[in-house]
Amino acid sequence: MALQIGIVGLPNVGKSTLFNALTRAGAAVAAYPFTTIEPNRGIAVVPDPRLEVLAGMVGPERVTPATVEFVDIAGLVRGAHRGEGLGNQFLGYIRNVDAIALVCRCFPDPDVAHVEGAVDPLRDLEVLDLELILADLEVVERRLDKVRSAAKARPRDYAAELETLEDLRSRLQAGERAVAWASRGAAEAALAREMCLLTAKKRVYVANVGEEDLPDGGPLAQEIARVAEKEDAPCVVLCARLEADLSEWPPDEAAAYRADVGLERSGLEALAQAGYTVLDLITFFTITGGREVRAWPIQRGIKAPQAAGKVHSQMERGFIRAEVVSFEQLVKAGNWHTAREQGILRIEGHDYEIQDGDVCLFRFSP
C-alpha cells in the first residue's frame, strides 16, 4: 500500500497547484477560494536512484518504484468545524492518511486573494490547528457518548476508557493537539489510531514561496521552519507554481533549471523524503528473476517475516529465511550470483531487522 499524505491548507495557498506538480493529475486551479470541491487523489512515484542502478544491472521487464498517494481536499477556513466553507466536510477523506502536509502560503501575489486578507503563515497555521482540533473534539464527543451509554451496564469495564477520553477532551478544549496525549502510552496511542485523530498524526510543514525566494524561502518560510524545528517535524520549502511548470519539462532540463536556482532536488523528492523521515520509513528491494525490480517502503525495525508479508501474505505465513545483501555490496559485486560466490550474501532468520537498502530474496513454504 502506498504511503498516504493529506494536503491541508487554507484556500488559495497553492495546495492544488502543489498537488498537480506532485502527481500531474490535473486538479483544477484558479485564483479564487474553493476551487477544490471534491477531494483529489493522485499517485506519485518516489524517486530513488538506487532502483535505477539495480534496474541497469538486471535489465528487468518491469521496474516498480515506491509510491506516495496524495489527497488534496478543499481549503479550510475559520469556522470550518461549524460548516463554514467546504473543507470540513472533506476532513473525513484524510482521517486515514499516514501523515498530513500543512501548506502555508509564504508568497505575495496581488492577483491571488488571501482568504484572511494579508499573507501571514503563522496566523494561517493557528487557523488550521484550531479547525483540526475542533474537528477532533467532535469525534471525541461522539465517542464519549457511546462509551457512557455502554458504561451504564458495565461501569468497571469502561471506567479507564472514560477517564482517558475525558482527559483528551479537556486537552482539546484547551486548544492542545492530540499528539502529546497520544504519545503518553499504548492505550492512548491505540485510541488515537482507532479514532483517526487528525491532530495526532505526523505532520510535514510546507512553505510555498515565490520563485524569487528560492532556495532558502525568505523570512516568511523561516517562520514556518522555526515552528517545525520546535516540533522536530520536517519543513519543505518549495515553489508550487515552479514545480508545476517543471513537471511538464523533460527531466534533464528541469534538473538543470533547479540547479540554476539552487535546488538540489525536486519538490516531490523533498516532500517524499520528509514523509519517509517523519514516519521513520526505510526502503528494501526485491529482484524477481529478470522480470521485476521493486522498491518496498516499510517501517524501520520491521523483521524479515513481516517484510516478506509486504511482498505477499503467503510469504510471511510460510517464511523460512531471507537471503540478503546490501545495495552497495551488490553493486560492487555486479550481480546476485557473484555476491553469493563472494560470500557477501547473508542468510537471515525470523529475528533479522530489515535495513535501508537491503536487497532481499525471501524463501518460504507455500
Side-chain angles (χ1 to χ4, degrees):
M1 182 180 294
L3 164 68
Q4 287 188 318
I5 297 179
I7 302 177
V8 176
L10 272 62
N12 289 356
V13 300
K15 294 187 304 84
S16 295
T17 301
L18 175 61
F19 176 83
N20 286 341
L22 298 174
T23 66
R24 302 185 186 184
V29 177
Y32 51 84
F34 310 125
T35 305
T36 303
I37 59 174
E38 293 291 340
N40 296 308
R41 295 178 180 270
I43 300 292
V45 167
V46 177
D48 193 327
R50 297 175 299 182
L51 189 65
E52 298 173 11
V53 173
L54 291 175
M57 290 173 53
V58 176
E61 299 173 5
R62 185 169 62 252
V63 178
T64 306
T67 58
V68 178
E69 180 180 2
F70 290 99
V71 184
D72 174 33
I73 65 168
L76 296 178
V77 297
R78 290 185 189 273
H81 67 285
R82 298 192 303 268
E84 297 291 336
L86 298 172
N88 188 54
Q89 62 183 293
F90 295 119
L91 284 175
Y93 288 101
I94 60 168
R95 284 205 174 273
N96 292 315
V97 299
D98 301 294
I100 292 176
L102 289 96
V103 182
C104 303
R105 178 173 168 176
C106 299
F107 64 90
D109 189 337
D111 296 326
V112 181
H114 194 291
V115 70
E116 289 281 332
V119 175
D120 183 343
L122 294 183
R123 177 209 55 215
D124 294 352
L125 275 181
E126 290 178 359
V127 173
L128 291 175
D129 273 334
L130 176 60
E131 295 305 325
L132 294 176
I133 287 169
L134 292 173
D136 278 350
L137 183 58
E138 289 184 5
V139 172
V140 173
E141 293 281 11
R142 289 197 296 269
R143 177 64 175 249
L144 269 169
D145 288 342
K146 291 181 180 179
V147 175
R148 287 194 189 104
S149 296
K152 291 177 180 178
R154 296 182 300 170
R156 291 185 179 179
D157 292 346
Y158 291 95
E161 184 176 350
L162 271 175
E163 182 179 355
T164 301
L165 287 170
E166 287 170 351
D167 177 47
L168 173 58
R169 182 184 61 177
S170 297
R171 290 168 179 264
L172 291 171
Q173 288 174 332
E176 295 181 28
R177 303 206 316 259
V179 60
W181 171 87
S183 65
R184 293 195 316 174
E188 289 85 353
L191 267 176
R193 288 193 299 270
E194 186 179 344
M195 292 187 289
C196 300
L197 297 179
L198 295 168
T199 62
K201 291 185 182 297
K202 301 290 186 178
R203 53 171 56 186
V204 176
Y205 291 92
V206 179
N208 185 17
V209 305
E211 184 177 345
E212 65 279 4
D213 287 324
L214 292 172
D216 297 329
L220 293 179
Q222 292 309 308
E223 292 180 357
I224 299 302
R226 285 191 287 271
V227 171
E229 184 178 8
K230 288 180 181 178
E231 298 181 9
D232 197 24
C235 180
V236 176
V237 176
L238 52 75
C239 175
R241 181 175 294 177
L242 176 63
E243 293 292 340
D245 290 341
L246 293 183
S247 69
E248 304 295 331
W249 290 24
D252 55 340
E253 294 182 18
Y257 190 90
R258 287 191 179 95
D260 286 343
V261 297
L263 296 175
E264 297 179 356
R265 54 187 176 177
S266 70
L268 169 58
E269 290 174 293
L271 191 50
Q273 182 57 55
Y276 267 55
T277 299
V278 77
L279 294 169
D280 202 19
L281 300 179
I282 61 173
T283 301
F284 76 92
F285 304 94
T286 56
I287 299 174
T288 308
R291 299 190 302 277
E292 182 183 39
V293 174
R294 182 162 183 166
W296 301 88
I298 57 170
Q299 200 82 30
R300 189 183 304 276
I302 277 185
K303 302 291 181 67
Q306 288 71 51
K310 297 289 183 180
V311 180
H312 196 287
S313 58
Q314 192 174 18
M315 287 187 176
E316 182 175 359
R317 291 194 298 269
F319 179 85
I320 298 174
R321 66 181 184 273
E323 298 178 11
V324 183
V325 61
S326 72
F327 166 79
E328 292 79 9
Q329 288 179 316
L330 182 58
V331 170
K332 187 175 181 179
N335 58 62
W336 191 268
H337 179 70
T338 302
R340 188 189 301 275
E341 288 184 337
Q342 293 178 350
I344 58 177
L345 191 70
R346 310 187 311 275
I347 305 300
E348 303 288 358
H350 287 75
D351 293 331
Y352 175 69
E353 289 187 4
I354 299 294
Q355 302 299 305
D356 184 54
D358 278 351
V359 185
C360 303
L361 174 63
F362 298 110
R363 301 294 186 181
F364 67 102
S365 175

